[in-house]
mmCIF file of all heavy atoms in Angstrom:
data_model
loop_
_atom_site.group_PDB
_atom_site.id
_atom_site.type_symbol
_atom_site.label_atom_id
_atom_site.label_comp_id
_atom_site.label_asym_id
_atom_site.label_seq_id
_atom_site.Cartn_x
_atom_site.Cartn_y
_atom_site.Cartn_z
ATOM 1 N N THR J 631 10.657 8.669 -70.119
ATOM 2 C CA THR J 631 10.997 7.771 -71.231
ATOM 3 C C THR J 631 11.704 8.544 -72.329
ATOM 4 O O THR J 631 12.690 8.090 -72.907
ATOM 5 C CB THR J 631 9.731 7.107 -71.786
ATOM 6 O OG1 THR J 631 9.075 6.424 -70.728
ATOM 7 C CG2 THR J 631 10.072 6.124 -72.891
ATOM 8 N N ARG J 632 11.220 9.747 -72.662
ATOM 9 C CA ARG J 632 11.857 10.547 -73.684
ATOM 10 C C ARG J 632 13.282 10.910 -73.279
ATOM 11 O O ARG J 632 14.201 10.879 -74.097
ATOM 12 C CB ARG J 632 11.054 11.836 -73.940
ATOM 13 C CG ARG J 632 9.657 11.571 -74.492
ATOM 14 C CD ARG J 632 9.159 12.811 -75.239
ATOM 15 N NE ARG J 632 9.162 14.006 -74.442
ATOM 16 C CZ ARG J 632 8.119 14.435 -73.744
ATOM 17 N NH1 ARG J 632 7.000 13.722 -73.675
ATOM 18 N NH2 ARG J 632 8.181 15.556 -73.071
ATOM 19 N N ARG J 633 13.450 11.262 -72.017
ATOM 20 C CA ARG J 633 14.782 11.647 -71.552
ATOM 21 C C ARG J 633 15.751 10.459 -71.631
ATOM 22 O O ARG J 633 16.918 10.608 -71.956
ATOM 23 C CB ARG J 633 14.695 12.186 -70.123
ATOM 24 C CG ARG J 633 15.977 12.807 -69.616
ATOM 25 C CD ARG J 633 15.783 13.368 -68.210
ATOM 26 N NE ARG J 633 14.814 14.448 -68.195
ATOM 27 C CZ ARG J 633 13.658 14.413 -67.540
ATOM 28 N NH1 ARG J 633 13.335 13.332 -66.858
ATOM 29 N NH2 ARG J 633 12.826 15.430 -67.567
ATOM 30 N N ARG J 634 15.258 9.265 -71.320
ATOM 31 C CA ARG J 634 16.103 8.077 -71.299
ATOM 32 C C ARG J 634 16.441 7.577 -72.704
ATOM 33 O O ARG J 634 17.578 7.278 -73.019
ATOM 34 C CB ARG J 634 15.414 6.968 -70.509
ATOM 35 C CG ARG J 634 16.266 5.703 -70.367
ATOM 36 C CD ARG J 634 15.493 4.578 -69.672
ATOM 37 N NE ARG J 634 14.426 4.075 -70.514
ATOM 38 C CZ ARG J 634 13.124 4.125 -70.193
ATOM 39 N NH1 ARG J 634 12.761 4.693 -69.072
ATOM 40 N NH2 ARG J 634 12.213 3.645 -71.024
ATOM 41 N N ASP J 635 15.405 7.512 -73.564
ATOM 42 C CA ASP J 635 15.582 6.858 -74.860
ATOM 43 C C ASP J 635 15.841 7.836 -76.007
ATOM 44 O O ASP J 635 16.390 7.451 -77.028
ATOM 45 C CB ASP J 635 14.328 6.046 -75.212
ATOM 46 C CG ASP J 635 14.099 4.909 -74.227
ATOM 47 O OD1 ASP J 635 15.069 4.519 -73.550
ATOM 48 O OD2 ASP J 635 12.955 4.416 -74.157
ATOM 49 N N GLY J 636 15.446 9.099 -75.829
ATOM 50 C CA GLY J 636 15.528 10.022 -76.945
ATOM 51 C C GLY J 636 14.621 9.552 -78.065
ATOM 52 O O GLY J 636 13.643 8.853 -77.857
ATOM 53 N N PHE J 637 14.965 9.947 -79.287
ATOM 54 C CA PHE J 637 14.190 9.523 -80.455
ATOM 55 C C PHE J 637 14.827 8.211 -80.916
ATOM 56 O O PHE J 637 15.714 8.180 -81.759
ATOM 57 C CB PHE J 637 14.257 10.597 -81.536
ATOM 58 C CG PHE J 637 13.163 10.493 -82.551
ATOM 59 C CD1 PHE J 637 11.970 11.185 -82.372
ATOM 60 C CD2 PHE J 637 13.299 9.702 -83.684
ATOM 61 C CE1 PHE J 637 10.947 11.096 -83.306
ATOM 62 C CE2 PHE J 637 12.289 9.615 -84.619
ATOM 63 C CZ PHE J 637 11.111 10.311 -84.436
ATOM 64 N N ASP J 638 14.375 7.076 -80.330
ATOM 65 C CA ASP J 638 15.079 5.810 -80.489
ATOM 66 C C ASP J 638 14.678 5.019 -81.705
ATOM 67 O O ASP J 638 15.328 4.050 -82.076
ATOM 68 C CB ASP J 638 14.892 4.952 -79.228
ATOM 69 C CG ASP J 638 13.423 4.718 -78.913
ATOM 70 O OD1 ASP J 638 12.576 5.501 -79.371
ATOM 71 O OD2 ASP J 638 13.136 3.752 -78.175
ATOM 72 N N LYS J 639 13.581 5.387 -82.343
ATOM 73 C CA LYS J 639 13.205 4.766 -83.607
ATOM 74 C C LYS J 639 12.255 5.710 -84.335
ATOM 75 O O LYS J 639 11.831 6.746 -83.783
ATOM 76 C CB LYS J 639 12.565 3.397 -83.400
ATOM 77 C CG LYS J 639 11.205 3.410 -82.710
ATOM 78 C CD LYS J 639 10.670 1.973 -82.622
ATOM 79 C CE LYS J 639 9.297 1.959 -81.948
ATOM 80 N NZ LYS J 639 8.745 0.595 -81.892
ATOM 81 N N ILE J 640 11.896 5.372 -85.571
ATOM 82 C CA ILE J 640 11.035 6.254 -86.360
ATOM 83 C C ILE J 640 9.593 5.971 -86.015
ATOM 84 O O ILE J 640 8.990 5.006 -86.487
ATOM 85 C CB ILE J 640 11.317 6.064 -87.866
ATOM 86 C CG1 ILE J 640 12.762 6.480 -88.157
ATOM 87 C CG2 ILE J 640 10.343 6.893 -88.698
ATOM 88 C CD1 ILE J 640 13.176 6.293 -89.599
ATOM 89 N N TYR J 641 9.051 6.816 -85.158
ATOM 90 C CA TYR J 641 7.647 6.703 -84.752
ATOM 91 C C TYR J 641 6.740 7.320 -85.819
ATOM 92 O O TYR J 641 5.646 6.830 -86.064
ATOM 93 C CB TYR J 641 7.417 7.394 -83.411
ATOM 94 C CG TYR J 641 8.077 6.734 -82.246
ATOM 95 C CD1 TYR J 641 9.409 7.009 -81.925
ATOM 96 C CD2 TYR J 641 7.397 5.820 -81.455
ATOM 97 C CE1 TYR J 641 10.027 6.398 -80.854
ATOM 98 C CE2 TYR J 641 7.999 5.196 -80.372
ATOM 99 C CZ TYR J 641 9.323 5.491 -80.081
ATOM 100 O OH TYR J 641 9.942 4.895 -79.018
ATOM 101 N N GLU J 642 7.186 8.418 -86.384
ATOM 102 C CA GLU J 642 6.421 9.152 -87.379
ATOM 103 C C GLU J 642 7.382 9.737 -88.406
ATOM 104 O O GLU J 642 8.556 9.960 -88.112
ATOM 105 C CB GLU J 642 5.626 10.299 -86.733
ATOM 106 C CG GLU J 642 4.470 9.863 -85.865
ATOM 107 C CD GLU J 642 3.279 9.369 -86.668
ATOM 108 O OE1 GLU J 642 3.121 9.814 -87.825
ATOM 109 O OE2 GLU J 642 2.509 8.549 -86.135
ATOM 110 N N VAL J 643 6.856 9.986 -89.586
ATOM 111 C CA VAL J 643 7.594 10.753 -90.570
ATOM 112 C C VAL J 643 6.849 12.061 -90.758
ATOM 113 O O VAL J 643 5.667 12.076 -91.107
ATOM 114 C CB VAL J 643 7.712 10.004 -91.914
ATOM 115 C CG1 VAL J 643 8.327 10.904 -92.978
ATOM 116 C CG2 VAL J 643 8.565 8.748 -91.739
ATOM 117 N N SER J 644 7.529 13.159 -90.496
ATOM 118 C CA SER J 644 6.921 14.484 -90.570
ATOM 119 C C SER J 644 7.182 15.091 -91.947
ATOM 120 O O SER J 644 7.816 14.481 -92.812
ATOM 121 C CB SER J 644 7.511 15.370 -89.484
ATOM 122 O OG SER J 644 7.293 14.801 -88.207
ATOM 123 N N TRP J 645 6.683 16.318 -92.128
ATOM 124 C CA TRP J 645 6.935 17.000 -93.398
ATOM 125 C C TRP J 645 8.454 17.139 -93.616
ATOM 126 O O TRP J 645 8.986 16.785 -94.652
ATOM 127 C CB TRP J 645 6.280 18.389 -93.393
ATOM 128 C CG TRP J 645 6.765 19.263 -94.489
ATOM 129 C CD1 TRP J 645 6.580 19.090 -95.843
ATOM 130 C CD2 TRP J 645 7.580 20.442 -94.355
ATOM 131 N NE1 TRP J 645 7.220 20.080 -96.543
ATOM 132 C CE2 TRP J 645 7.842 20.910 -95.662
ATOM 133 C CE3 TRP J 645 8.097 21.136 -93.254
ATOM 134 C CZ2 TRP J 645 8.596 22.054 -95.890
ATOM 135 C CZ3 TRP J 645 8.854 22.268 -93.487
ATOM 136 C CH2 TRP J 645 9.117 22.720 -94.788
ATOM 137 N N LEU J 646 9.162 17.649 -92.614
ATOM 138 C CA LEU J 646 10.619 17.762 -92.657
ATOM 139 C C LEU J 646 11.197 16.923 -91.534
ATOM 140 O O LEU J 646 10.699 16.955 -90.400
ATOM 141 C CB LEU J 646 11.048 19.228 -92.511
ATOM 142 C CG LEU J 646 12.542 19.535 -92.511
ATOM 143 C CD1 LEU J 646 12.801 20.930 -93.066
ATOM 144 C CD2 LEU J 646 13.153 19.427 -91.106
ATOM 145 N N ASN J 647 12.272 16.180 -91.839
ATOM 146 C CA ASN J 647 12.917 15.316 -90.847
ATOM 147 C C ASN J 647 14.416 15.398 -91.016
ATOM 148 O O ASN J 647 14.924 15.467 -92.140
ATOM 149 C CB ASN J 647 12.500 13.857 -91.041
ATOM 150 C CG ASN J 647 11.001 13.676 -91.231
ATOM 151 O OD1 ASN J 647 10.285 13.357 -90.303
ATOM 152 N ND2 ASN J 647 10.505 13.866 -92.480
ATOM 153 N N VAL J 648 15.146 15.378 -89.900
ATOM 154 C CA VAL J 648 16.577 15.138 -89.931
ATOM 155 C C VAL J 648 16.824 13.973 -88.984
ATOM 156 O O VAL J 648 16.524 14.068 -87.791
ATOM 157 C CB VAL J 648 17.406 16.372 -89.510
ATOM 158 C CG1 VAL J 648 18.897 16.019 -89.585
ATOM 159 C CG2 VAL J 648 17.099 17.572 -90.382
ATOM 160 N N PHE J 649 17.368 12.889 -89.543
ATOM 161 C CA PHE J 649 17.654 11.715 -88.749
ATOM 162 C C PHE J 649 19.160 11.685 -88.490
ATOM 163 O O PHE J 649 19.967 11.737 -89.424
ATOM 164 C CB PHE J 649 17.220 10.451 -89.474
ATOM 165 C CG PHE J 649 15.757 10.417 -89.811
ATOM 166 C CD1 PHE J 649 15.314 10.408 -91.129
ATOM 167 C CD2 PHE J 649 14.805 10.422 -88.795
ATOM 168 C CE1 PHE J 649 13.973 10.376 -91.430
ATOM 169 C CE2 PHE J 649 13.440 10.409 -89.092
ATOM 170 C CZ PHE J 649 13.031 10.385 -90.407
ATOM 171 N N GLY J 650 19.532 11.611 -87.201
ATOM 172 C CA GLY J 650 20.935 11.575 -86.827
ATOM 173 C C GLY J 650 21.577 10.271 -87.237
ATOM 174 O O GLY J 650 20.898 9.286 -87.552
ATOM 175 N N PRO J 651 22.934 10.223 -87.217
ATOM 176 C CA PRO J 651 23.662 9.026 -87.663
ATOM 177 C C PRO J 651 23.232 7.745 -86.961
ATOM 178 O O PRO J 651 23.136 6.692 -87.607
ATOM 179 C CB PRO J 651 25.120 9.371 -87.355
ATOM 180 C CG PRO J 651 25.157 10.872 -87.379
ATOM 181 C CD PRO J 651 23.844 11.329 -86.852
ATOM 182 N N LYS J 652 22.955 7.800 -85.673
ATOM 183 C CA LYS J 652 22.564 6.604 -84.945
ATOM 184 C C LYS J 652 21.251 6.046 -85.481
ATOM 185 O O LYS J 652 21.102 4.835 -85.690
ATOM 186 C CB LYS J 652 22.425 6.934 -83.450
ATOM 187 C CG LYS J 652 22.042 5.750 -82.574
ATOM 188 C CD LYS J 652 21.971 6.165 -81.108
ATOM 189 C CE LYS J 652 21.536 4.988 -80.248
ATOM 190 N NZ LYS J 652 21.412 5.388 -78.808
ATOM 191 N N LEU J 653 20.307 6.932 -85.721
ATOM 192 C CA LEU J 653 19.016 6.495 -86.247
ATOM 193 C C LEU J 653 19.150 6.023 -87.688
ATOM 194 O O LEU J 653 18.503 5.046 -88.105
ATOM 195 C CB LEU J 653 18.006 7.644 -86.155
ATOM 196 C CG LEU J 653 16.519 7.280 -86.266
ATOM 197 C CD1 LEU J 653 16.118 6.193 -85.293
ATOM 198 C CD2 LEU J 653 15.656 8.517 -86.048
ATOM 199 N N VAL J 654 20.001 6.691 -88.453
ATOM 200 C CA VAL J 654 20.233 6.278 -89.843
ATOM 201 C C VAL J 654 20.780 4.856 -89.891
ATOM 202 O O VAL J 654 20.332 4.021 -90.698
ATOM 203 C CB VAL J 654 21.192 7.253 -90.556
ATOM 204 C CG1 VAL J 654 21.595 6.713 -91.932
ATOM 205 C CG2 VAL J 654 20.548 8.619 -90.704
ATOM 206 N N GLU J 655 21.752 4.576 -89.045
ATOM 207 C CA GLU J 655 22.361 3.255 -89.043
ATOM 208 C C GLU J 655 21.366 2.193 -88.574
ATOM 209 O O GLU J 655 21.415 1.049 -89.048
ATOM 210 C CB GLU J 655 23.608 3.244 -88.154
ATOM 211 C CG GLU J 655 24.738 4.130 -88.659
ATOM 212 C CD GLU J 655 25.132 3.870 -90.108
ATOM 213 O OE1 GLU J 655 25.082 2.698 -90.524
ATOM 214 O OE2 GLU J 655 25.473 4.834 -90.816
ATOM 215 N N SER J 656 20.491 2.541 -87.665
ATOM 216 C CA SER J 656 19.518 1.557 -87.182
ATOM 217 C C SER J 656 18.525 1.175 -88.295
ATOM 218 O O SER J 656 18.056 0.047 -88.344
ATOM 219 C CB SER J 656 18.759 2.086 -85.962
ATOM 220 O OG SER J 656 17.865 3.135 -86.329
ATOM 221 N N VAL J 657 18.226 2.111 -89.161
ATOM 222 C CA VAL J 657 17.335 1.837 -90.305
ATOM 223 C C VAL J 657 18.108 1.187 -91.433
ATOM 224 O O VAL J 657 17.600 0.310 -92.135
ATOM 225 C CB VAL J 657 16.673 3.154 -90.789
ATOM 226 C CG1 VAL J 657 15.915 2.944 -92.099
ATOM 227 C CG2 VAL J 657 15.732 3.698 -89.731
ATOM 228 N N GLY J 658 19.363 1.602 -91.596
ATOM 229 C CA GLY J 658 20.178 1.192 -92.750
ATOM 230 C C GLY J 658 20.355 2.387 -93.640
ATOM 231 O O GLY J 658 19.371 2.934 -94.160
ATOM 232 N N ARG J 659 21.622 2.790 -93.832
ATOM 233 C CA ARG J 659 21.879 4.029 -94.579
ATOM 234 C C ARG J 659 21.362 3.924 -96.016
ATOM 235 O O ARG J 659 20.765 4.850 -96.560
ATOM 236 C CB ARG J 659 23.383 4.354 -94.548
ATOM 237 C CG ARG J 659 23.727 5.702 -95.161
ATOM 238 C CD ARG J 659 25.170 6.075 -94.834
ATOM 239 N NE ARG J 659 25.306 6.301 -93.388
ATOM 240 C CZ ARG J 659 25.037 7.450 -92.764
ATOM 241 N NH1 ARG J 659 24.625 8.497 -93.482
ATOM 242 N NH2 ARG J 659 25.190 7.573 -91.463
ATOM 243 N N GLU J 660 21.563 2.771 -96.624
ATOM 244 C CA GLU J 660 21.116 2.600 -98.004
ATOM 245 C C GLU J 660 19.601 2.712 -98.108
ATOM 246 O O GLU J 660 19.066 3.362 -99.004
ATOM 247 C CB GLU J 660 21.589 1.250 -98.552
ATOM 248 C CG GLU J 660 21.243 1.045 -100.006
ATOM 249 C CD GLU J 660 21.820 -0.271 -100.551
ATOM 250 O OE1 GLU J 660 22.667 -0.880 -99.870
ATOM 251 O OE2 GLU J 660 21.392 -0.683 -101.657
ATOM 252 N N ARG J 661 18.922 2.063 -97.165
ATOM 253 C CA ARG J 661 17.452 2.148 -97.156
ATOM 254 C C ARG J 661 17.009 3.592 -96.925
ATOM 255 O O ARG J 661 16.090 4.085 -97.571
ATOM 256 C CB ARG J 661 16.868 1.223 -96.094
ATOM 257 C CG ARG J 661 15.353 1.405 -95.905
ATOM 258 C CD ARG J 661 14.763 0.329 -95.009
ATOM 259 N NE ARG J 661 14.658 -0.925 -95.695
ATOM 260 C CZ ARG J 661 13.663 -1.311 -96.478
ATOM 261 N NH1 ARG J 661 12.663 -0.458 -96.709
ATOM 262 N NH2 ARG J 661 13.641 -2.468 -97.053
ATOM 263 N N MET J 662 17.654 4.245 -95.989
ATOM 264 C CA MET J 662 17.280 5.637 -95.669
ATOM 265 C C MET J 662 17.431 6.516 -96.911
ATOM 266 O O MET J 662 16.537 7.318 -97.255
ATOM 267 C CB MET J 662 18.141 6.159 -94.530
ATOM 268 C CG MET J 662 17.871 7.588 -94.113
ATOM 269 S SD MET J 662 16.373 7.810 -93.117
ATOM 270 C CE MET J 662 16.922 7.167 -91.523
ATOM 271 N N LEU J 663 18.558 6.387 -97.601
ATOM 272 C CA LEU J 663 18.812 7.256 -98.753
ATOM 273 C C LEU J 663 17.952 6.923 -99.955
ATOM 274 O O LEU J 663 17.843 7.739 -100.881
ATOM 275 C CB LEU J 663 20.290 7.180 -99.123
ATOM 276 C CG LEU J 663 21.263 7.761 -98.083
ATOM 277 C CD1 LEU J 663 22.711 7.512 -98.481
ATOM 278 C CD2 LEU J 663 21.024 9.259 -97.907
ATOM 279 N N SER J 664 17.360 5.746 -99.978
ATOM 280 C CA SER J 664 16.490 5.373 -101.100
ATOM 281 C C SER J 664 15.013 5.631 -100.798
ATOM 282 O O SER J 664 14.132 5.182 -101.540
ATOM 283 C CB SER J 664 16.685 3.890 -101.456
ATOM 284 O OG SER J 664 16.283 3.056 -100.366
ATOM 285 N N THR J 665 14.729 6.373 -99.729
ATOM 286 C CA THR J 665 13.347 6.666 -99.352
ATOM 287 C C THR J 665 12.658 7.456 -100.459
ATOM 288 O O THR J 665 13.187 8.474 -100.935
ATOM 289 C CB THR J 665 13.314 7.483 -98.054
ATOM 290 O OG1 THR J 665 13.996 6.785 -97.037
ATOM 291 C CG2 THR J 665 11.864 7.714 -97.607
ATOM 292 N N PRO J 666 11.447 7.025 -100.881
ATOM 293 C CA PRO J 666 10.695 7.817 -101.867
ATOM 294 C C PRO J 666 10.148 9.073 -101.209
ATOM 295 O O PRO J 666 9.220 9.022 -100.404
ATOM 296 C CB PRO J 666 9.562 6.863 -102.296
ATOM 297 C CG PRO J 666 9.385 5.940 -101.143
ATOM 298 C CD PRO J 666 10.749 5.789 -100.490
ATOM 299 N N ALA J 667 10.731 10.214 -101.489
ATOM 300 C CA ALA J 667 10.333 11.489 -100.880
ATOM 301 C C ALA J 667 10.729 12.617 -101.800
ATOM 302 O O ALA J 667 11.493 12.450 -102.767
ATOM 303 C CB ALA J 667 10.975 11.652 -99.490
#
């Protein structure tokens, strides 16, 4: 499943995270950039 889907959605938020463009767009770039962190 990991090999097929990769990191296909945000399952967890870790201490440090880098979300690729595909994942950013799936969440919404504006929402992603306005995350309280």
Side-chain angles (χ1 to χ4, degrees):
T631 304
R632 296 204 304 267
R633 188 177 297 116
R634 183 184 69 242
D635 297 339
F637 199 92
D638 56 339
K639 67 177 180 179
I640 297 178
Y641 292 85
E642 290 285 333
V643 172
S644 302
W645 166 67
L646 179 151
N647 313 262
V648 180
F649 302 116
K652 181 179 178 182
L653 197 53
V654 171
E655 296 307 324
S656 70
V657 171
R659 187 168 294 276
E660 184 176 347
R661 172 171 285 276
M662 180 76 76
L663 293 174
S664 64
T665 303

